[in-house]
Amino acid sequence: MYRFLLTPRWWGINVFVLLAIPFCVFMGSWQLGRFEDRMQDHRTASEQAASTKTEAARPLTELLPVDKKTSGRQATATGRYGEQLLVPDRELDGKRGFYVLTMLRTDTGKALPVVRGWLPGDADPAKAPAAPTGEVTVTGALQASESPGSNGVSAAGGLPEGQTGAISSASLVNLVPYKVYSAWITLATADSGMKAVPATAPQDSGLDLKAFQNLGYTGEWFVFAGFVVFMWFRLLRREVEFARDAALGLTPDDSEDRTAQQTEDENTPASPSPTA
């Protein structure tokens, strides 16, 4: 009865199933691993954020380049403030406002973008307090360059002069006449009555939509594996039923003929009985 399993058609079905199931299991396990990695990154970022509040600040050059381990660490830098820019459409405590970004020119010849604070309302140069003059030493949380269009960073162009949508060296190098560090800091204590901007977690280190997409894909791949097994058993059962019917002489054509004959008999009116 199971000799049909040796036919070329079933050889193809069996090979497909034997390849599909391990593949689905592998992809599901990989997506689960990605979710667990993001969970670990989230825990590490949370622990790091707590530790940076008590640790001593370190020189900027010791923490570059910015990565998941150094992002959020307290950094210090010395220099003189230069050009000042505004970063519009930034929210803080549920309110819309803007960052006051001032370039700190260091002895290395590069400038460090420093977010000196946040103010509510539309970006207006008249509202932004002037930067301190002379040599200053700043301390704040180190942050990686932003990417336009991600994490609430505006990707809109055509901003007025003196404004930038993203705090990144790629954007700022076109606005100031000197090289810019591929990093920035947000002051722990804001200047001149502004609110301090809290540090953000490194990109891809939180429980964001991508993390839960990985978890959803995990379930999908395991469901696919189960579906392949289900369909194989269904096809097998159907083939066994056909083989059993054939052994009993009940072919599909015979069944159709009997059904058609039964229908025809039911629809044929009975002939009238002869009358005397």
Side-chain angles (χ1 to χ4, degrees):
M1 183 178 296
Y2 291 95
R3 291 181 179 178
F4 61 83
L5 292 174
L6 300 178
T7 61
R9 173 173 172 265
W10 272 91
W11 268 107
I13 293 174
N14 292 335
V15 169
F16 172 79
V17 170
L18 290 176
L19 294 177
I21 293 176
F23 177 77
C24 291
V25 172
F26 169 78
M27 291 300 297
S29 301
W30 181 77
Q31 290 288 353
L32 182 60
R34 291 288 297 158
F35 175 73
E36 292 175 344
D37 290 342
R38 292 181 185 276
M39 286 286 291
Q40 182 59 44
D41 289 343
H42 176 68
R43 287 192 291 267
T44 302
S46 299
E47 294 171 357
Q48 182 171 306
S51 65
T52 54
K53 295 180 180 179
T54 57
E55 70 177 7
R58 296 168 57 188
L60 172 68
T61 53
E62 294 182 6
L63 299 174
L64 296 178
V66 185
D67 55 23
K68 290 183 179 180
K69 292 182 179 180
T70 60
S71 179
R73 301 285 185 183
Q74 294 295 306
T76 62
T78 300
R80 294 176 180 271
Y81 280 125
E83 281 80 355
Q84 182 160 283
L85 303 169
L86 305 181
V87 187
D89 299 325
R90 295 302 178 102
E91 289 189 1
L92 185 63
D93 298 332
K95 297 180 180 179
R96 178 176 168 275
F98 61 96
Y99 293 167
V100 177
L101 177 71
T102 311
M103 310 302 294
L104 182 72
R105 303 186 65 177
T106 66
D107 294 337
T108 62
K110 290 185 176 181
L112 173 67
V114 178
V115 174
R116 296 172 45 232
W118 175 91
L119 290 171
D122 295 329
D124 185 356
K127 297 180 181 179
T133 58
E135 188 174 80
V136 295
T137 298
V138 297
T139 301
L142 185 64
Q143 303 279 264
S145 288
E146 296 178 332
S147 299
S150 64
N151 295 332
V153 178
S154 175
L159 293 174
E161 184 178 357
Q163 296 186 19
T164 179
I167 309 174
S168 69
S169 56
S171 300
L172 295 173
V173 74
N174 298 316
L175 302 176
V176 296
Y178 32 78
K179 296 181 179 179
V180 180
Y181 280 108
S182 183
W184 58 282
I185 67 171
T186 173
L187 296 183
T189 303
D191 286 342
S192 305
M194 296 184 289
K195 284 189 176 181
V197 176
T200 59
Q203 190 172 359
D204 295 332
S205 65
L207 295 180
D208 54 7
L209 179 60
K210 291 182 179 179
F212 291 102
Q213 282 179 338
N214 291 133
L215 187 61
Y217 293 151
T218 299
E220 287 181 1
W221 281 112
F222 285 120
V223 168
F224 290 158
F227 180 74
V228 170
V229 175
F230 168 76
M231 289 301 299
W232 185 85
F233 275 108
R234 184 173 181 180
L235 289 174
L236 178 67
R237 180 181 177 182
R238 184 179 179 182
E239 199 76 28
V240 169
E241 290 176 351
F242 285 162
R244 185 182 298 114
D245 291 344
L248 296 174
L250 301 175
T251 63
D253 293 340
D254 294 339
S255 299
E256 291 176 1
D257 292 343
R258 284 196 300 274
T259 301
Q261 183 62 43
Q262 183 179 0
T263 303
E264 182 179 353
D265 293 342
E266 292 175 352
N267 294 333
T268 301
S271 57
S273 59
T275 59

